[in-house]
Amino acid sequence: MSEVVVAPPLDAFIVGAGPVGLAAGCALRAAGLRVVVADAGPAERALEDTRVIALSAGSRDILRTLQAWPSADATPIGTIHISQRGHFGRTELRAADYGLDALGHVARAGTVVRALRSRAQALGLDVRHELAVTGAREDGDLVQVDTAAGTFATRVLIWCEGRIADDEALARSRDYGQHAVIALATPVRPHGHVAYERFTRDGPVALLPCGRDYAVVFTCAAAEASALRDEPDAQFLARLSDALGGRVQFSALGPRSAWPLTLRMRADVVRGHQVWLGNAAQTLHPVAGQGLNLALRDVGQLAECLLPVLARGEGDIAEVLERYGRLRRTDRAATGGFTDALVRIFGIGAGHPLLGPLAGHARGAALALLDACPPARQFIGRRMMFGARGW
């Protein structure tokens, strides 16, 4: 048996040193708790992550509370333009309508990790890289966590690394048969902090302002992903501009990558003294950019629930975690359902000679009505920015 290397027991052991794991670690460590964050990969991997993520206004509030907001490297979104290709009807969400300076911000994943690592270092958070977790088991009021360096005893084990591996743990699962081709593209004219969400018959196309560039998420059928990833830059940029109805022209394109799109929602995010966050709890379609924002809301509410019991001994840990699971149920279900519904609704009739145009006109009418109804736009916008508690 592995040697127990930490005594007395930790307050929390966190698996995964990406944005979600580091945010959870900082939230708990700021209260003076004894926390270890372990990641199976090298320290450089997360810092070199060039993927672009959309951070809602609610996520900015959470990261600011943690004193880990990368203000110098986050590009604000002032307006989101929503439309569908080939049909009338569009709407816009504007930050000024919500009394905000920005609806959200766009940053590289590595930039967010760097800000969180800086805060973790200031807090004295124990972050260990290249330390894989090989197993875990409940042991009375503790969880024994096996690693290559030995066994850690902890009051709470928080899983923030990897995806849901056990199909029996799933509440919802869907393979969309789509891939997202991702790249940075430089517009001919300044983007003016306008983001685009454009629905096409092959799936949504998103442009997010990122520095002087746009971060592109181009959804396509899985069978076409390799061709779109590898086609000449000029051809892809023409395809992209055409998908957007010519609203944006581009002068340059960065490297492209492609990722499969799925929905996977874990049924129970709590078991005993263990809790699952981030991609370990749910993987969402990137439409509306809700994945990390939902995860950070999970982190914020988990800290609210855990701090009284871990820092002051108020209550039973298992009961507190069960309460956390109940509190997060509505937001998780609503956010997963919202993104799934958008993909499915805007995919109705795709390729059908009769149903396609009818469904497109119906969606166009809905977008036009939304644009003419400020309370409805307020509801949707606040829901996207702050989750189920945002209204």
Side-chain angles (χ1 to χ4, degrees), residues 328-341:
R328 295 306 302 150
R329 194 169 295 152
T330 299
D331 193 13
R332 291 184 68 244
T335 303
F338 174 65
T339 58
D340 184 47

Side-chain angles (χ1 to χ4, degrees), residues 182-186 233 252-256:
I182 300 170
L184 287 175
T186 304
D233 288 359
L253 180 68
R256 279 163 279 168

Side-chain angles (χ1 to χ4, degrees), residues 80-84 89-93 195-199 346 367 370 380 384:
I80 302 176
H81 184 284
I82 305 168
S83 63
Q84 61 172 337
R90 63 106 177 107
T91 191
E92 288 187 345
L93 306 179
Y196 290 89
E197 188 82 62
R198 177 80 159 172
F199 291 92
F346 279 91
L367 285 172
L370 180 62
I380 290 176
M384 291 172 62

Side-chain angles (χ1 to χ4, degrees), residues 179-203:
H179 277 56
V181 178
I182 300 170
L184 287 175
T186 304
V188 171
R189 297 184 179 87
H191 51 60
H193 303 286
V194 177
Y196 290 89
E197 188 82 62
R198 177 80 159 172
F199 291 92
T200 77
R201 59 181 289 178
D202 295 320

Side-chain angles (χ1 to χ4, degrees), residues 4-17:
V4 176
V5 297
V6 176
L10 297 167
D11 292 305
F13 188 102
I14 299 173
V15 184

Side-chain angles (χ1 to χ4, degrees), residues 235-277:
Q235 188 174 333
F236 182 83
L237 288 177
R239 182 191 301 275
L240 177 60
S241 183
D242 184 56
L244 292 160
R247 289 178 173 85
V248 183
Q249 301 293 326
F250 302 93
S251 61
L253 180 68
R256 279 163 279 168
S257 59
W259 301 86
L261 302 180
T262 61
L263 169 70
R264 292 174 71 82
M265 300 283 293
R266 189 179 178 90
D268 297 311
V269 294
V270 169
R271 187 178 67 209
H273 286 220
Q274 302 179 64
V275 60
W276 285 260
L277 300 176

Side-chain angles (χ1 to χ4, degrees), residues 163-168 170-174 176 262-266 278-285 332:
R163 298 174 181 266
I164 306 168
D166 184 1
D167 287 344
E168 294 182 1
L170 289 171
R172 300 179 66 183
S173 176
R174 188 184 308 281
Y176 293 106
T262 61
L263 169 70
R264 292 174 71 82
M265 300 283 293
R266 189 179 178 90
N279 282 340
Q282 64 262 327
T283 302
L284 308 182
H285 193 289
R332 291 184 68 244

